[in-house]
């Protein structure tokens, strides 16, 4: 979608209706993931792709039909065993598409979304896929505001909260709700498409705890990198397949790596020759979370060394050490859960207190990211 938006924005600004097909679900070995898009515009011009060529002909016809009829449609394409040349995916997978007409009247927030994406501003677009809510209706959600409606106030509130959560992760997913946003119902299916890259998790120290933290980081939607100066430990075989493993001195790697306000940095080396130069670099750059492993004695000694290295009290106050919440964790996997819990609590302003000891709304309206 991101690649074809300039063309779509031009059509939209000119008041030209176009049909937009978006992949909202995939299974098995589908060639394109959720969010992939294809559009059919004026003079039968086509931009984008939803399958790499397998079903584009059929999608082209559907897009023309929804523009002519004015109503969004849902279509699923899979492999055809009977005829290799039938409309289907030769890879054996299955994709579900939402094909909808886009005009200023049908989608009044499209222009604002396109402008935000062009400017590099994060935004999530929630689109009704199925259910009693009008199919193809959109709600745009930015970190601090939203525009549009899915039909009911309750549904808008629930979807807005989830959209901000997915925006923080740069994820695109299907969610299910009741007609008024009820969480345990599935009458309404909504596709949340986030225009933001996944946040990064940088894990330093290729130990058993790092493998567990990397695994749960992937589960939470982070793009995870593990870095260690010791090649005997920093081997891809010790970590999940999707985790990048780098052999380098930690502080040198971090100094050459971009971070932002969503980046998570976990320092698990608890060795002064690695920790001090690494944390000196980390605490002076943008990051959502900077945590370091070690005993309380290690923490005190580490703070002294960092202060001697010139870090201010304000910079040292950013350090979460010892990292993690007090869960009584013992195993690497349990420690990873405690670290993830602290990261989530810090992101959304959670207290870390058991819900049985709290009052009020369990999911209060989130603050701007």
């Amino acid at each position: 979608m991101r690649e074809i938006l300039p063309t779509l924005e031009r059509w939209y600004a000119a008041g030209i209706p176009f049909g937009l097909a978006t992949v909202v679900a995939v299974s098995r070995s589908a060639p394109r993931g959720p969010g992939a898009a294809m559009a059919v515009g004026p003079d039968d011009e086509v931009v984008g792709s939803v399958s790499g060529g397998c079903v584009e002909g059929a999608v082209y016809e559907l897009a023309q039909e929804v523009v002519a009829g004015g109503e969004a449609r849902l279509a699923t394409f899979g492999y055809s065993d009977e005829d290799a040349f039938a409309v289907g995916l030769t890879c054996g997978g299955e994709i579900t598409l939402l094909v909808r007409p886009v005009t200023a009247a049908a989608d009044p927030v499209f222009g604002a979304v396109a402008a935000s994406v062009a400017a590099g501003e994060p935004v999530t677009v929630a689109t009704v896929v199925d259910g009693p809510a009008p199919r193809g209706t959109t709600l745009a959600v930015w970190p601090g505001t939203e525009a549009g409606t899915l039909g009911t106030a309750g549904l808008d509130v629930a979807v807005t909260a989830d959209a901000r959560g997915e925006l923080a992760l740069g994820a695109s997913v299907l969610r299910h709700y009741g007609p008024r946003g009820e969480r345990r119902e599935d009458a309404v299916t909504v596709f949340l498409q986030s225009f933001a890259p996944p946040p990064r998790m940088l894990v330093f120290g290729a130990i058993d705890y790092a493998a567990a933290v990397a695994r749960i980081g992937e589960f939470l939607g982070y793009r995870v990198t593990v870095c260690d100066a010791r090649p005997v430990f920093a081997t891809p075989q010790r970590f999940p397949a999707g985790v990048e493993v780098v052999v380098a001195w930690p502080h040198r790697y971090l100094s050459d790596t971009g971070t932002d306000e969503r980046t998570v940095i976990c320092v698990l080396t608890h060795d002064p020759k690695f920790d001090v130069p690494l944390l000196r670099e980390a605490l002076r750059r943008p990051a959502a979370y900077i945590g370091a492993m070690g005993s309380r004695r290690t923490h005190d000694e580490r703070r002294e060394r960092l202060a001697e290295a010139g870090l201010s009290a304000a910079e040292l106050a950013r350090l979460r050490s010892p990292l993690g919440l007090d869960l009584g964790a013992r195993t690497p996997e349990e420690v990873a859960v405690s670290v993830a819990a602290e990261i989530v609590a810090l992101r959304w302003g959670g207290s870390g207190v058991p819900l049985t000891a709290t009052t009020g709304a369990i999911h209060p309206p989130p603050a701007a990211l």
Side-chain angles (χ1 to χ4, degrees), residues 239-295:
F239 298 94
V243 171
E244 179 187 28
V245 180
V246 175
V247 179
W249 274 83
H251 72 284
R252 292 172 185 165
Y253 173 77
L254 183 58
S255 67
D256 293 332
T257 300
T259 64
D260 60 25
E261 289 73 12
R262 301 183 302 153
T263 303
V264 166
I265 299 174
C266 298
V267 179
L268 310 181
T269 48
H270 51 80
D271 183 330
K273 70 176 178 290
F274 295 124
D275 289 2
V276 173
L278 172 59
L279 287 170
R280 182 172 56 195
E281 174 70 27
L283 292 168
R284 288 175 169 169
R285 58 168 52 230
Y289 175 91
I290 304 171
M293 175 177 279
S295 66

Side-chain angles (χ1 to χ4, degrees), residues 169 201 203 209 212-222 264-266 268 289 291 293 320 323-327 329 332-348 350 352:
L169 298 174
M201 173 182 280
V203 182
Y209 291 96
V213 170
R215 192 174 301 113
I216 203 167
E218 265 202 314
F219 178 76
L220 291 176
Y222 288 92
V264 166
I265 299 174
C266 298
L268 310 181
Y289 175 91
M293 175 177 279
R320 317 287 291 195
L323 82 176
L325 296 186
D326 180 13
L327 304 182
E333 291 74 19
E334 290 174 345
V335 170
V337 170
S338 79
V339 173
E342 183 177 37
I343 291 169
V344 172
L346 187 63
R347 178 195 295 164
W348 299 114

Side-chain angles (χ1 to χ4, degrees), residues 46 119 136 304 328:
V46 177
E304 290 179 6

Side-chain angles (χ1 to χ4, degrees), residues 115-156:
S116 289
V117 174
E121 300 168 353
V123 59
T124 293
V125 180
T127 308
V128 174
V129 171
D130 205 4
R135 179 178 288 161
T137 303
T138 57
L139 169 70
V141 180
W142 291 267
T145 188
E146 57 277 339
T149 179
L150 301 183
T152 68
L155 183 59
D156 287 348

Side-chain angles (χ1 to χ4, degrees), residues 178-245:
R180 291 175 294 279
E182 298 89 341
R183 295 284 182 178
R184 294 188 178 183
E185 298 185 23
D186 59 1
V188 181
T189 302
V190 178
F191 180 58
L192 303 179
Q193 183 173 12
S194 298
F195 292 92
R200 298 201 65 182
M201 173 182 280
L202 306 177
V203 182
F204 295 96
I207 61 176
D208 288 346
Y209 291 96
V213 170
R215 192 174 301 113
I216 203 167
E218 265 202 314
F219 178 76
L220 291 176
Y222 288 92
R223 181 163 66 93
V224 183
T225 299
V226 175
C227 175
D228 197 303
R230 302 163 294 181
V232 67
F233 295 117
T235 61
Q237 294 79 9
R238 300 183 66 219
F239 298 94
V243 171
E244 179 187 28
V245 180

Side-chain angles (χ1 to χ4, degrees), residues 45-72:
E45 181 180 354
V46 177
V47 292
S49 172
V50 291
S51 74
C54 299
V55 302
E56 267 69 4
V59 175
Y60 169 80
E61 294 179 0
L62 271 176
Q64 289 183 315
E65 290 173 8
V66 300
V67 171
E71 293 185 0

